Amino acid sequence: MTTPKQDNFYMPAEFELHDASIMIFPERPGSWNYDAKPALKSFLEIFKAITKSELLYLITSNSKYTEAEIFIKKNQLQNIKLLEIAQNDAWARDTAPTFVKNNKTGEVRGIDWQFNAWGGLFDGLYQNWQEDNALAKKFCSETGYACYNAQHFVLEGGSIHSNGQGSILVTEACLLSQGRNPSLNKQQITEILCEYLGAEKIIWLPRGIYHDETNEHVDNICAFLNPEEVVLAWTDNQNDPQYALSNACLEVLKQEKLKIHKLPIPENPICITEHDLQGYVFEEGEDVREVGERLAGSYVNFYFTNDSVLLPQFGGNNKKSDLFALELMQKLCPEREIIPIPARELLLGGGNIHCLTQQIPKGGKFS
């Protein structure tokens, strides 16, 4: 058994060129209320945006295969390859492989981390995650990518961000949580990440977005725009619980040689309504929702395609915040189209655009 670093593989940045993206057709009734119909409107906009410039692998269960096929035809979508692979939910960022690339040959391989529903029996969000955990290996087998076995280590793709040049962003709140790798300390986790992601440095941010049920994934709080610049979710409101979390991250980022851009969170918290709640069907042992519950809204949970940025928009009383985020991201990424994606329904599912997508870097399947 070799590791990616031993084989000269590293994790490219998301803003680099992709061969394809991966998504999963939504169906879990405890995540996607009203039979996923509201969320599918937002999924459709993501499908359209991605397939403008790259292939989209769309994973679906056997029971939803025909529905997904009809959905693709009805909306005249092109550049989509439908794959039938069993899974427990639609969070491709966390259950699909993390891809690494050989810095000499350009070969791309996947990594099969252990997935335990964001905390396993300690504080996981549902009890049955076996199909999710098996997805990465099956995807690589179906599509012809070699795959590293990292089942000894619990990790989700949303908990890591790479700048493509040896630095990885993570949060302590997530990676040091007791539901993931409790027998490993910070230094041991650092070594494993460096070995499997071909990295030289792990930047440990203390916290993530307030009330993020993933134990505060980094992809909701901070992201690389290029190797030397990041955006950080921010609020100037010192009475908002997010202020202390973002400020703690800012202090760490100041120690790095990075240019930091503050990207304000939605001005008004996004909360679950009675109507939202009535549409869910929760199974036994699944994390349930409550009326008034604050969701982890953040504009940092965007996704780079080959020619655009897919940016969350929350609407309602956050239209001013939405517009500010759009204008700021256009200034920060002038060479890309900034595509607004209605994201409230995605947030109701428990995540956002970045959580639903996983990139496959441009390269070959075999050296």
Side-chain angles (χ1 to χ4, degrees):
M1 287 289 293
T2 57
T3 65
K5 195 168 195 177
Q6 290 170 341
D7 295 337
N8 294 311
F9 281 77
Y10 71 100
M11 184 183 177
E14 184 184 310
F15 51 74
E16 297 179 52
L17 284 176
H18 307 170
D19 265 340
S21 292
I22 306 168
M23 292 187 68
I24 301 168
F25 198 77
E27 64 174 291
R28 186 180 184 87
S31 294
W32 308 105
N33 61 7
Y34 297 104
D35 198 30
K37 287 181 173 62
L40 273 169
K41 295 176 182 177
S42 297
F43 272 72
L44 176 59
E45 296 307 308
I46 301 173
F47 295 164
K48 287 178 180 177
I50 288 175
T51 54
K52 282 181 182 179
S53 63
E54 59 194 86
L55 174 67
L56 175 64
Y57 287 105
L58 182 59
I59 295 169
T60 180
S61 66
N62 176 270
S63 63
K64 287 286 183 176
Y65 189 93
T66 300
E67 182 182 330
E69 205 170 33
I70 292 170
F71 187 86
I72 290 168
K73 289 178 181 177
K74 176 186 174 183
N75 292 289
Q76 300 180 320
L77 297 169
Q78 305 292 322
N79 216 17
I80 291 183
K81 185 168 185 179
L82 202 56
L83 295 177
E84 183 185 318
I85 304 175
Q87 24 65 38
N88 302 105
D89 208 347
W91 307 110
R93 175 64 49 180
D94 294 342
T95 59
T98 296
F99 288 90
V100 289
K101 184 175 179 177
N102 189 289
N103 59 17
K104 294 179 180 178
T105 67
E107 181 187 358
V108 172
R109 295 177 181 173
I111 301 175
D112 174 21
W113 312 106
Q114 183 185 155
F115 177 80
N116 70 354
W118 308 279
L121 298 178
F122 182 78
D123 62 353
L125 300 183
Y126 44 79
Q127 289 188 339
N128 300 308
W129 58 79
Q130 290 76 18
E131 290 176 344
D132 277 346
N133 189 40
L135 187 146
K137 185 178 179 180
K138 287 182 180 178
F139 178 88
C140 287
S141 177
E142 292 257 345
T143 53
Y145 288 95
C147 187
Y148 287 99
N149 182 354
Q151 278 286 317
H152 63 287
F153 187 70
V154 177
L155 190 80
E156 306 96 37
S159 67
I160 52 175
H161 254 315
S162 172
N163 75 343
Q165 295 188 8
S167 292
I168 305 292
L169 284 168
V170 303
T171 67
E172 294 178 350
C174 178
L175 267 65
L176 300 183
S177 65
Q178 288 301 297
R180 287 175 172 78
N181 302 287
S183 65
L184 300 177
N185 61 34
K186 187 175 179 179
Q187 181 57 37
Q188 290 169 321
I189 291 172
T190 294
E191 290 169 2
I192 291 170
L193 291 175
C194 286
E195 200 63 37
Y196 277 84
L197 301 176
E200 301 303 323
K201 184 176 192 178
I202 307 301
I203 301 171
W204 288 87
L205 304 181
R207 301 297 300 270
I209 291 291
Y210 175 71
H211 225 250
D212 184 341
E213 58 194 6
T214 65
N215 301 111
E216 302 173 19
H217 272 182
V218 76
D219 68 352
N220 227 11
I221 183 76
C222 190
F224 286 108
L225 296 176
N226 58 52
E228 298 174 348
E229 295 184 56
V230 297
V231 287
L232 173 67
W234 187 257
T235 179
D236 287 323
N237 180 4
Q238 296 188 24
N239 295 318
D240 191 303
Q242 185 57 46
Y243 180 82
L245 310 189
S246 292
N247 197 53
C249 293
L250 179 64
E251 292 306 310
V252 172
L253 290 168
K254 283 179 179 178
Q255 306 304 313
E256 306 296 330
K257 294 179 180 179
L258 295 167
K259 188 172 184 181
I260 306 159
H261 303 280
K262 295 176 179 177
L263 182 55
I265 61 172
E267 184 178 5
N268 297 291
I270 299 142
C271 300
I272 291 177
T273 67
E274 181 66 40
H275 173 75
D276 297 329
L277 188 63
Q278 288 175 358
Y280 294 108
V281 180
F282 300 108
E283 66 179 31
E284 186 178 350
E286 185 169 10
D287 189 60
V288 299
R289 306 210 178 284
E290 300 175 357
V291 173
E293 178 182 336
R294 175 168 167 169
L295 301 171
S298 169
Y299 297 104
V300 173
N301 206 284
F302 57 77
Y303 181 62
F304 284 109
T305 74
N306 278 337
D307 61 4
S308 68
V309 175
L310 311 190
L311 186 70
Q313 300 280 272
F314 301 106
N317 58 1
N318 281 303
K319 291 177 182 177
K320 183 179 177 182
S321 302
D322 287 350
L323 181 60
F324 185 89
L326 270 172
E327 292 176 345
L328 179 58
M329 287 300 294
Q330 191 63 78
K331 289 177 184 175
L332 297 178
C333 305
E335 74 289 356
R336 294 179 185 266
E337 180 184 6
I338 311 300
I339 301 178
I341 302 291
R344 185 179 184 276
E345 294 298 335
L346 306 180
L347 201 56
L348 285 169
N352 216 314
I353 300 166
H354 195 261
C355 309
L356 294 166
T357 51
Q358 178 64 274
Q359 71 275 5
I360 303 178
K362 193 164 188 62
K365 294 182 183 179
F366 305 101
S367 53

